[in-house]
Amino acid sequence: MSGGAGGAVAEAPVIVAARRTPIGTAQRSLAALTAPDLAAAVIADLAADLAAAPPERGVPGIGEVVLGNCTGPGGDVARVAALQAGLPDTVPGLTVDRQCASGLAAVVLAVAVLRSEPGVVLAGGVESASTAPWRFWPPADGGAPTRYERAPFAPATVGDPDMGPAADLLARDSDVSRRCQDEYAARSHARAAATQRAGGFDAEIVPVGGVARDERPRAGLSVDRLARLRPAFGPGGTVTAGNACGVNDGAALVTVVDAETHRRLGVPGLRVLATATAGVDPNRPGLGIVPAARLALDRAGLGLDQVDVVEFNEAFAGQVLACCAGLGLDPARVCPEGGALALGHPWGASGAVLAVRLFTQLVRRPGGRHGLAAIAAGGGQGVAMVVEACR
């Protein structure tokens, strides 16, 4: 790497803290908590870290809170959560929506802001599927109102499949068998259950509502047991409730600072080497990981063989396996401590959960130097980030 490039890297924003709530199954352990409730708990925890920094280090106050959210109550969830967390009313909040990639998109936005405006930004995402409001189309011709199921991911003329059927099509196109999907899902649960037993998630979790552990991981979930489940999206499909993610509640945020603030803090962190956002065919939205990851790695000047920890959002096992095939990546390298198939997929938060997971594996208990996080979104989009541990 040239001296100029090295200097640019040294001035890149740094993630200095990363936390999340436990991830709960919708209508279960976190069902009574709203999106602001979940996010505020993590914001308050990260703000307390900053407040504990010695005054002589001159760490600036929080300049902004940026949150991703998909199906929440509407309005500016980030602003509500920031105020609920006790931040001064001078701290603005911004809520962004890039569907399932919203949480990582919020982190990308924070990084972009800090490249030009020094300071501190709390960024991440939140989803409370349990408390998301129901909406209805007005009645037609005096009839009953129609339940509004979801916003469009893309125009119907282009193709706007639901994520489950789209995952079935992607698995078929990529020749990913049902057994391979079940094997991948069983491994994700086994890894997450083992990590949970060993306390590997404990340091990153902020207890909320009396809950301190992820609800979904299941030890001993065998391939044979998964094989008994029926296709979830029609006869002949290969996606089931067992090799797909759940519907979940949770929040995750990171503290991002500019390079000079990081030097004053004097703490380890993750330097953000590169980020990328890409688009793909909306009919195969799960493939968004592939071009986003490639572009982020290219911008970072790294190959996949130089990445120590890979965190992809495991929306569907078949989707992850198709993306791995597209990238020439061994699927066993993805989510080494279990991913969304086991932990859950709180839509607006999931991209930020990936950042938290990288922080734990590369900073809290150092296990390498470089990390890659990537997530796909409805409508055919992908977001990726490449980081480097700095100590």
Side-chain angles (χ1 to χ4, degrees):
M1 182 177 286
S2 68
V9 168
E11 294 307 308
V14 179
I15 296 171
V16 296
R19 307 259 169 71
R20 64 178 179 89
T21 66
I23 298 173
T25 299
Q27 304 304 330
R28 292 182 63 179
S29 62
L30 301 177
L33 301 174
T34 65
D37 291 337
L38 294 168
V42 187
I43 291 170
D45 197 75
L46 293 174
D49 278 356
L50 290 168
E56 62 270 18
R57 295 189 179 176
V59 178
I62 297 167
E64 178 106 46
V65 175
V66 186
L67 282 179
N69 181 248
C70 293
T71 64
D76 191 347
V77 175
R79 174 64 169 172
V80 176
L83 292 172
Q84 187 171 329
L87 297 191
D89 59 15
T90 52
V91 179
L94 173 66
T95 303
V96 300
D97 181 356
R98 203 184 287 275
Q99 292 299 290
C100 293
S102 298
L104 192 55
V107 178
V108 169
L109 182 58
V111 169
V113 167
L114 289 166
R115 289 187 185 279
S116 58
E117 301 176 18
V120 179
V121 178
L122 303 188
V126 62
E127 204 69 55
S128 173
S130 294
T131 65
W134 285 15
R135 302 171 185 176
F136 294 86
W137 291 109
D141 302 325
T146 303
R147 174 80 187 276
Y148 181 86
E149 297 291 344
R150 67 165 174 85
F153 298 139
T157 52
V158 175
D160 184 28
D162 286 338
M163 298 301 285
D168 258 339
L169 292 174
L170 180 55
R172 184 199 66 191
D173 292 350
S174 302
D175 197 25
V176 179
S177 71
R178 165 70 184 272
R179 183 169 182 83
C180 285
Q181 293 175 61
D182 289 346
E183 288 173 346
Y184 185 95
R187 181 170 63 200
S188 183
H189 276 274
R191 287 174 166 181
T195 303
Q196 190 175 62
R197 283 195 305 272
F201 299 128
D202 293 356
E204 70 190 31
I205 290 180
V206 177
V208 60
V211 180
R213 286 168 58 86
D214 297 312
E215 183 176 358
R216 183 174 165 85
R218 299 175 66 183
L221 187 61
S222 69
V223 175
D224 288 343
R225 185 173 181 182
L226 289 171
R228 293 197 291 268
L229 298 176
R230 295 179 178 179
F233 303 105
T238 55
V239 175
T240 72
N243 59 38
C245 64
V247 178
N248 300 94
D249 305 325
L253 286 95
V254 299
T255 302
V256 194
V257 302
D258 66 284
E260 177 55 34
T261 297
H262 175 242
R263 283 190 283 271
R264 289 203 300 272
L265 275 169
V267 297
L270 293 178
R271 182 176 290 116
V272 182
L273 299 182
T275 63
T277 304
V280 295
D281 180 359
N283 294 286
R284 302 294 186 275
L287 281 176
I289 283 175
V290 176
R294 284 176 177 160
L295 184 55
L297 287 166
D298 183 63
R299 288 173 175 171
L302 296 174
L304 271 170
D305 60 334
Q306 296 172 279
V307 175
D308 300 292
V309 181
V310 178
E311 287 287 329
F312 290 168
N313 185 59
E314 297 174 343
F316 303 91
Q319 172 236 346
V320 175
L321 291 168
C323 289
C324 287
L327 290 166
L329 174 67
D330 180 357
R333 294 183 57 197
V334 177
C335 298
E337 297 185 344
L341 289 169
L343 296 174
H345 179 14
W347 305 307
S350 292
V353 170
L354 302 179
V356 174
R357 297 271 53 248
L358 287 180
F359 193 90
T360 290
Q361 294 170 87
L362 293 172
V363 178
R364 287 193 173 97
R365 37 183 165 80
R369 179 180 178 187
H370 294 116
L372 167 66
I375 186 169
Q381 300 185 86
V383 179
M385 177 175 69
V386 178
V387 297
E388 176 184 40
C390 49
R391 303 179 179 91

